Amino acid sequence: MLRSFPPSPRPAAALRAAARVLMLVALGVACGGASCRTGNSNRPHPQGDAHALDGVPADPGYRDAWDRLQAAHEVDPGSDEARALADELLAGDPPLSVRLAALRARAEHAYLHQDDSVAIASADAGLAAVPPDQATGEPPQVLVDLAHVRVRALVRGGDPMIALMALDEPLVGARGGLPGAEAQGLRAMALDRNGDLEAAVPELARWREGLTDDDPTALWVEQRLAQLSSGLPPEALAAMVARMPPSPGRACLQTRLGEPVAVGMPPWVASCGTASGGIGLLLPRSGPFAAFADEQLAAAVAALEVVAPDGAQPTLAWRDSGSTAKTSLAGARALVDQGARVLVGPIGAKNVKAVATEVDRRALVIVPGEGSGEAVGVAPSLEDRVEALVDRARAERRDRLVVLAPDNAYGRRAVKAVQAHATGFSQSLVVRMYPPETTSFGPHVNPVMTALSGNAALVVPDTLVRTELVVRQLARAGRMPARPDVPGLMVLVTAEGLSPDALARGRDVLDGVWVAPAAARGPDAEAFEAAYTRLQGQPPGDQALLVFYALQHAVLGHPGPGARKTTLTRVKEGRLVVEPAGPQ
């Protein structure tokens, strides 16, 4: 099933209105209601029975490609494989059923990667390929899926007026319609983006009624309700309430007017009266973790510049989480009491667990790191990162893996991940553990030098600081990391605590080292990296990028494309360069 998330509100009303007029003129819209669809007019319709489009293609020449596309789509509609297979099919002249399946895969992939214009265009192309009289009655599922992804993309990134019309189209409501409360949510967000607050606020309240308290979207809706209703004059809000029938949604808005909560209302209604609509930053400014404070604060400033560029920035409330569970709990309580419904932070596994347990559905906890229990993380798991490194060694046809890891919970977890993915290597897997406080690595590197001979690869899951010490010891023994133009030892690392300063310090020995960092690099973060570099004079490290991904989730109400994404990078001249997945 296609995953959907609340779209990002962009309330620059004047710009939206101008763009909407231009779009309507360009399309020559003279029809009304459900019959209007962008890009569907004056196109020839191929012949074929639309009601048989969900079956296996009759042409045997397309069955293998069809099967591969269906399998890739089933595993992950957002995968690069699904997009590549769809493009491969569309490059030819496939039968109608195959073309529609490929267009659906392309549209869903684009939507999941927040490329709404491609999602809309792909869905339009598919819907235009079937005569309207064949899409009536009980239409094939592929057409319904195309209509659904189209309306989702329109609401999030297309023209909101067209999105509102699309929500009323018959195909969107066919076969049971959109799942759960999604139709209500999409309508609320389209009204919000269209600048129609008098309709959007009651619709948001009704949307909240259909969501469970443990749904992260519910907290985001409450946050948005607080933001919008706080900007309305009391008399306008009172007029909205007067037009609504008795319901928890109406009671929620009444609390915004200072009225008491009626007996029997669900607990979330009471929180409407105190919700600030702001986001709580629960990050350390004291204790051992305070070393990250300046980087995290700069990241928050740059992130808001990128995520909310039109000036509609959410209110940010900052509390020092300290570096212990006790101080983290105190900060979390203060932020939730202040009305924050989303918390970004804290860091540290024990602190995250304590805060997530304490707030217990009163706020969504988004961690600038790996998730834990009820807390949502934005970093990929250590297991996923280790798998990417092992896969790279396999792609380079290395025949032995040697692992040097700290003898602590992190190191043991990393070693277990290597062991789980180390199939297919012709030689043995060698593991050596060292005390986590080690600073002199001769006694640990020298015993594995024989194992590192020949076509071996070394995996070091540890901090970048200690990794640099390992590589320096290897250099003393005559084994430098391999570079694209210089042979040597293949070194693969996780590099926890990665920062520009740390990379610069190890510049003379780290070139060529492969890194699967905790924070994704690549196009998804380019705008943030540019903003951060302009503000700070140097590129962001892992901590800054993770704060960006966490704040992006908090502001938009859904994870960005870089969240929990594993990227493979390589050190080149003191910086990380994103590498292709296959061998060079």
Side-chain angles (χ1 to χ4, degrees):
M1 179 181 292
L2 177 63
R3 294 163 290 180
S4 62
F5 309 103
S8 127
R10 298 169 187 162
L15 291 176
R16 278 204 320 273
R20 184 162 62 251
V21 171
L22 290 174
M23 179 175 287
L24 293 178
V25 170
L27 291 172
V29 175
C31 55
S35 62
C36 289
R37 176 176 287 125
T38 60
N40 281 6
S41 59
N42 301 321
R43 294 186 185 178
H45 296 302
Q47 298 299 312
D49 181 6
H51 294 274
L53 294 178
D54 289 329
V56 178
D59 188 340
Y62 286 94
R63 286 181 186 170
D64 178 60
W66 165 279
D67 289 341
R68 286 186 289 126
L69 175 61
Q70 299 303 321
H73 183 270
E74 180 79 14
V75 171
D76 181 7
S79 68
D80 291 341
E81 182 185 9
R83 170 60 192 262
L85 289 168
D87 289 347
E88 179 185 328
L89 283 167
L90 291 169
D93 186 22
L96 181 58
S97 61
V98 178
R99 178 171 295 278
L100 291 178
L103 286 167
R104 173 178 59 188
R106 179 187 281 178
E108 293 186 358
H109 179 277
Y111 177 77
L112 292 172
H113 287 266
Q114 299 194 38
D115 193 346
D116 293 322
S117 60
V118 171
I120 294 165
S122 300
D124 277 340
L127 293 169
V130 179
D133 60 342
Q134 293 192 25
T136 57
E138 184 74 2
Q141 187 63 49
V142 66
L143 294 183
V144 176
D145 290 344
L146 284 166
H148 285 179
V149 71
R150 175 178 177 270
V151 76
R152 287 165 175 149
L154 280 168
V155 167
R156 185 174 65 186
D159 185 274
M161 181 179 288
I162 296 175
L164 288 166
M165 292 189 295
L167 281 164
D168 294 325
E169 292 185 355
L171 270 178
V172 173
R175 288 180 173 258
L178 291 158
E182 188 180 0
Q184 188 91 49
L186 290 172
R187 190 174 300 278
M189 293 314 307
L191 290 166
D192 184 353
R193 287 192 61 227
N194 204 38
D196 187 355
L197 297 191
E198 290 193 8
V201 169
E203 202 73 24
L204 282 164
R206 283 189 284 269
W207 183 15
R208 178 59 185 90
E209 291 176 9
L211 299 170
T212 59
D213 290 349
D214 59 353
D215 185 342
T217 302
L219 296 176
W220 185 88
V221 174
E222 292 174 30
Q223 182 186 0
R224 189 62 184 156
L225 265 174
Q227 289 173 323
L228 295 182
S229 58
S230 295
L232 289 169
E235 57 273 17
L237 187 58
M240 288 181 195
V241 169
R243 292 192 295 268
M244 296 175 68
S247 67
R250 177 180 177 175
C252 164
L253 297 182
Q254 286 175 314
T255 65
R256 303 295 301 180
L257 292 167
E259 298 182 23
V261 179
V263 176
M265 285 294 163
W268 68 267
V269 171
S271 70
C272 287
T274 57
S276 66
I279 296 169
L281 289 177
L282 185 60
L283 296 170
R285 297 196 69 79
S286 59
F289 291 154
F292 300 123
D294 291 342
E295 183 179 4
Q296 291 173 336
L297 179 59
V301 174
L304 286 184
E305 180 180 313
V306 172
V307 179
D310 57 12
Q313 296 186 351
T315 302
L316 291 185
W318 187 296
R319 286 291 182 277
D320 179 16
S321 68
S323 300
T324 68
K326 182 177 180 180
T327 55
S328 296
L329 282 173
R333 288 174 184 138
L335 287 168
V336 173
D337 289 346
Q338 189 177 330
R341 301 295 281 150
V342 180
L343 304 182
V344 172
I347 59 176
K350 292 181 179 178
N351 304 340
V352 170
K353 183 177 180 181
V355 167
T357 302
E358 167 72 15
V359 300
D360 190 26
R361 301 178 183 175
R362 288 181 294 156
L364 173 64
V365 179
I366 304 174
V367 184
E370 283 192 65
S372 175
E374 295 297 319
V376 178
V378 295
S381 69
L382 175 60
E383 288 74 13
D384 286 344
R385 295 161 62 201
V386 167
E387 182 178 2
L389 295 173
V390 173
D391 285 347
R392 185 69 208 201
R394 185 182 291 108
E396 294 281 335
R397 296 180 175 82
R398 302 290 165 161
D399 56 20
R400 179 187 295 114
L401 288 178
V402 178
V403 184
L404 281 173
D407 192 5
N408 55 17
Y410 174 93
R412 290 188 289 273
R413 183 179 161 196
V415 168
K416 187 176 179 180
V418 173
Q419 292 169 333
H421 297 297
T423 57
F425 289 88
S426 59
Q427 301 295 321
S428 60
L429 171 66
V430 177
V431 176
R432 183 177 181 90
M433 311 291 285
Y434 51 81
E437 66 276 5
T438 299
T439 57
S440 179
F441 281 90
H444 302 286
V445 169
N446 293 337
V448 297
M449 288 304 295
T450 300
L452 288 173
S453 62
N455 197 31
L458 173 65
V459 181
V460 186
D462 203 343
T463 64
L464 181 58
V465 171
R466 277 195 293 271
T467 298
E468 180 193 339
L469 296 176
V470 171
V471 177
R472 289 193 181 282
Q473 183 60 42
L474 286 166
R476 295 186 192 102
R479 299 301 305 276
M480 290 292 290
R483 295 189 299 240
D485 54 344
V486 179
L489 176 65
M490 186 178 196
V491 181
L492 308 112
V493 306
T494 53
E496 305 298 342
L498 190 148
S499 69
D501 289 341
L503 281 174
R505 283 195 300 271
R507 179 171 181 162
D508 58 326
V509 295
L510 292 177
D511 262 21
V513 169
W514 295 91
V515 185
R521 265 65 178 177
D524 299 331
E526 282 180 354
F528 168 74
E529 292 192 61
Y532 185 94
T533 302
R534 178 172 46 77
L535 291 171
Q536 294 297 102
Q538 65 176 6
D542 272 1
Q543 278 299 315
L545 279 161
L546 291 172
V547 168
F548 162 62
Y549 289 129
L551 260 174
Q552 184 182 48
H553 187 165
V555 173
L556 301 184
H558 62 81
R564 297 190 289 276
K565 182 178 179 180
T566 301
T567 52
L568 195 64
T569 62
R570 201 170 189 182
V571 182
K572 182 179 181 181
E573 299 176 354
R575 61 190 181 90
L576 290 186
V577 178
V578 178
E579 290 287 340
Q584 294 178 324

